[in-house]
Amino acid sequence: MRIKPKKSLGQNFLSDRNILGKIVDSCNFTAADTVFEIGAGRGELTRLIAPKVKKLYAFEIDSSLIPLLNESLRDAGNTQIIHQDILKARLLRYIKVRDGKVIVVGNIPYYISTPILEKLFEAGKHIKRIYLTVQKEFAQRVVAAPGSKTYGSLSCFVQYHGRAKIKFIIRKGSFFPAPKVDSAFLEIELRSKPLLKKADEERFFTVVRAAFNQRRKTLRNSLFRVTFPDKLHECLARQNISPDIRPEQLSLDSFLGLAKSAKSAKFAK
Ligand code: SAM
């Protein structure tokens, strides 16, 4: 059956057999794994993952692809095709604590990369690794280190939740239809425990957002004006952070320290 790709759903299907194989090999699946696939599409990845794992839940939003997926995976008894928007799905319904943490994999539509990460991190304590094919520039922002131009709130957001690395680059010609830019295959290994308590976590994200909102300004200006009405200099001094540096020079650890110290100094949000 010929499928006309829908641009509105980000349907750039992976057509390169070598890359499909490389993706599945990189995920290091075992026969004990439960896997969520996001955006099963025509099932190319789904069919390669199914024989390697214990249970596979493949989410796909496009109703016109569901009959094809069901038909081509009819013999894969461990695979369930779920016709649902991943952003609305109740993921916990499919997670059985006795089966351990799940692995998530997906060649996802670019325009929902961040909402998908937010959704997955919400269920983070049930997930061990996430593998996503995303725009190369997005992946570079995710893995960026302090001091680099691409380091920003996305880097801090993802690196707070896990260790991220780019496994390999996928050229645009590997997709049908070819997108405008190259992609990267990203691995995020989730932390086994959150780095901060819930209250500190909210403060951490407030500080990070405020700092990078005013990227070209020094911390003295961005944090003083936006986040903290007073005592910012004391808080920075306790962390040995100069108020005259710019946010991209601040490591994740320094942001974490700042969030904790802001609490003890009773700064307003
Ligand atoms: N996995 C296939 C492949 O690699 O060829 C398809 C990848 S294609 C880039 C993205 C797929 O995600 C499409 O099949 C699209 O219909 C589906 N999709 C888009 N938005 C979605 C959503 N919110 N929830 C679930 N699937 C979605």
Side-chain angles (χ1 to χ4, degrees):
M1 186 166 64
R2 270 190 81 79
I3 304 286
K4 190 166 182 294
K6 297 188 178 79
K7 209 173 167 184
S8 62
L9 292 177
Q11 290 181 351
N12 298 95
F13 298 117
L14 257 170
S15 48
D16 183 328
R17 300 243 123 242
N18 288 332
I19 295 291
L20 285 161
K22 207 167 158 183
I23 286 179
V24 176
D25 288 347
S26 299
C27 296
N28 288 319
F29 294 125
T30 74
D33 287 330
T34 297
V35 175
F36 288 178
E37 188 196 358
I38 304 177
R42 303 183 298 191
E44 261 91 350
L45 263 179
T46 326
R47 285 188 290 278
L48 294 179
I49 299 169
K52 296 198 174 282
V53 302
K54 181 172 174 198
K55 182 78 196 171
L56 172 58
Y57 297 99
F59 294 83
E60 174 53 57
I61 198 171
D62 184 354
S63 55
S64 70
L65 295 174
I66 302 300
L68 170 83
L69 284 166
N70 278 328
E71 174 60 24
S72 74
L73 284 137
R74 201 180 37 194
D75 295 334
N78 65 343
T79 302
Q80 190 177 333
I81 307 296
I82 303 169
H83 176 212
Q84 213 171 7
D85 177 344
I86 190 67
L87 298 176
K88 296 191 181 143
R90 282 180 47 220
L91 297 183
L92 297 190
R93 263 183 67 181
Y94 306 99
I95 295 174
K96 297 191 178 54
V97 175
R98 65 165 190 272
D99 289 339
K101 295 186 179 191
V102 305
I103 297 175
V104 179
V105 61
N107 168 21
I108 57 171
Y110 296 149
Y111 57 88
I112 48 171
S113 301
T114 303
I116 285 178
L117 282 176
E118 284 166 354
K119 171 99 187 179
L120 295 176
F121 292 151
E122 269 170 33
K125 68 175 174 186
H126 300 289
I127 299 175
K128 58 181 161 192
R129 296 194 304 277
I130 299 172
Y131 295 96
L132 298 176
T133 299
V134 294
Q135 262 186 1
K136 189 171 100 180
E137 285 71 17
F138 182 88
Q140 285 167 335
R141 282 166 53 214
V142 164
V143 303
S148 81
K149 263 195 196 156
T150 43
Y151 180 67
S153 47
L154 179 68
S155 332
C156 291
F157 170 60
V158 176
Q159 293 173 30
Y160 172 80
H161 290 283
R163 290 182 190 82
K165 65 175 163 207
I166 294 176
K167 301 284 277 182
F168 50 88
I169 301 298
I170 308 177
R171 300 286 163 217
K172 48 192 171 191
S174 300
F175 298 88
F176 172 77
K180 288 202 173 68
V181 294
D182 290 337
S183 298
F185 189 59
L186 188 65
E187 175 186 78
I188 305 169
E189 194 173 339
L190 272 74
R191 298 187 190 279
S192 50
K193 274 206 224 129
L195 291 174
L196 294 172
K197 296 197 201 92
K198 209 68 202 152
D200 291 340
E201 195 174 277
E202 279 169 28
R203 205 166 285 107
F204 166 79
F205 289 119
T206 306
V207 172
V208 168
R209 268 194 300 268
F212 285 106
N213 236 340
Q214 310 270 319
R215 205 184 161 87
R216 297 163 76 91
K217 295 194 171 163
T218 61
L219 291 179
R220 181 199 302 279
N221 290 330
S222 59
L223 293 184
F224 183 79
R225 286 210 199 121
V226 183
T227 313
F228 306 107
D230 54 19
K231 304 258 179 38
L232 171 65
H233 58 285
E234 284 174 21
C235 189
L236 290 170
R238 265 198 302 279
Q239 298 298 313
N240 286 326
I241 300 169
S242 159
D244 296 317
I245 62 170
R246 294 185 201 288
E248 64 265 28
Q249 291 166 268
L250 216 55
S251 68
L252 185 70
D253 276 348
S254 296
F255 274 118
L256 292 169
L258 206 49
K260 285 190 205 157
S261 148
K263 178 184 164 199
S264 60
K266 291 196 176 55
F267 282 129
K269 236 174 135 184

